[in-house]
Amino acid sequence: MSSRKGQRDAARVVRQQLARERRRRRTIWVSAAAVAVLVIAGLIGWSVWSSQRSDDFTTPPGANADGTGIVTGGGPVTVDVYEDFICPACKQFEQTTGATLDQLVTENKAKIVYHPVAYLNRFSTTEYSTRSSAASGCAAAGGKFREYAKALFDQQPPEGSAGLTDDQLIDVGAGVGLDRASFGGCVKDRTYQTWTEHVTDEASRSDVTGTPTILVNGQPLADRSPDGLTAAVAAAGK
């Protein structure tokens, strides 16, 4: 009798242990499923937010269809210029080859798309790349993007500095003939900062890793001299 009771007790203990194990496994699976649902929901939410962020920007007049750059000219060959207003090599390119870009537009040989990216914020203490790019959008709204871009390069601050203040950016605009009140309000309000972020994000997605980057009909320009640019445009136009 005692032996049978011991067997029953042992069986009950085993059943209780098995029941506890089943509950433990069920809890683990439920927890794992809940985590998976949260992860999936988070990914979906991030995707939606990212998509909305990418689409939520104010495009200045004169931009191309996808809002990634300011267009000058309408020639058969497209030249994309990716530049950052605090980039010394971009200033050098503008000083040596900028006039050739303007000439190609005048002669109706090329359409130039300027992409003012904000890659070099780390080289100023006030996110000057973003602020100057956004200000160039304001200049585009006033019909003087090229004039303003050239003036920004002429007055380029050194890397590592605070860069030009907003008031100085406004002074530069007034100096090239932009209306101080409307242009200044645009700069102060950061009207085109979302556009700057869009331009920069899309440049990164297009594998533009540095500035200046020059593309002629989508092909990188190796020789960025005036002669090299002219020859590349002529070859692309054949």
Side-chain angles (χ1 to χ4, degrees):
M1 185 75 172
S2 176
S3 176
R4 285 199 297 272
K5 183 177 183 301
Q7 290 174 349
R8 287 196 299 271
D9 289 343
R12 185 174 65 255
V13 170
V14 170
R15 287 195 300 272
Q16 291 172 343
Q17 289 176 338
L18 290 174
R20 283 197 297 271
E21 181 63 19
R22 285 194 296 270
R23 287 196 297 271
R24 186 182 71 83
R25 289 179 180 177
R26 187 162 53 247
T27 300
I28 291 172
W29 279 109
V30 169
S31 299
V35 170
V37 168
L38 290 173
V39 169
I40 292 171
L43 289 172
I44 292 173
W46 180 88
S47 177
V48 171
W49 175 84
S50 179
S51 176
Q52 290 175 339
R53 178 177 179 271
S54 177
D55 293 337
D56 185 18
F57 60 93
T58 302
T59 305
N64 56 2
D66 57 5
T68 61
I70 302 299
V71 179
T72 64
V77 176
T78 299
V79 179
D80 291 283
V81 179
Y82 293 86
E83 57 190 5
D84 189 308
F85 291 119
I86 203 172
C87 159
C90 298
K91 176 180 180 178
Q92 183 180 18
F93 175 76
E94 174 59 41
Q95 290 177 335
T96 59
T97 312
T100 303
L101 290 169
D102 295 336
Q103 183 179 357
L104 290 168
V105 168
T106 300
E107 295 175 352
N108 200 36
K109 293 180 178 178
K111 174 179 70 176
I112 317 298
V113 185
Y114 293 94
H115 308 266
V117 296
Y119 279 2
L120 302 179
N121 276 325
R122 66 188 183 280
F123 288 113
S124 78
T125 58
T126 62
E127 295 193 335
Y128 178 72
S129 291
T130 290
R131 293 190 300 108
S132 57
S133 174
S136 76
C138 296
K144 290 187 176 294
F145 174 84
R146 276 296 285 148
E147 295 88 341
Y148 188 68
K150 291 177 185 178
L152 285 182
F153 282 126
D154 286 341
Q155 302 184 46
Q156 185 182 75
E159 289 182 322
S161 70
L164 304 180
T165 66
D166 285 354
D167 287 336
Q168 289 173 319
L169 288 172
I170 294 168
D171 289 341
V172 173
V176 299
L178 288 161
D179 179 75
R180 181 179 289 275
S182 59
F183 175 72
C186 180
V187 171
K188 294 282 189 180
D189 292 342
R190 302 286 195 270
T191 301
Y192 294 111
Q193 182 166 323
T194 55
W195 171 69
T196 292
E197 293 167 355
H198 172 71
V199 172
T200 304
D201 289 345
E202 290 302 313
S204 295
R205 291 190 183 101
S206 298
D207 295 325
V208 175
T209 57
T211 55
T213 291
I214 317 300
L215 307 177
V216 177
N217 276 359
Q219 299 302 310
L221 178 67
D223 181 358
R224 298 200 293 251
S225 69
D227 289 343
L229 174 62
T230 301
V233 169
K238 290 180 179 178

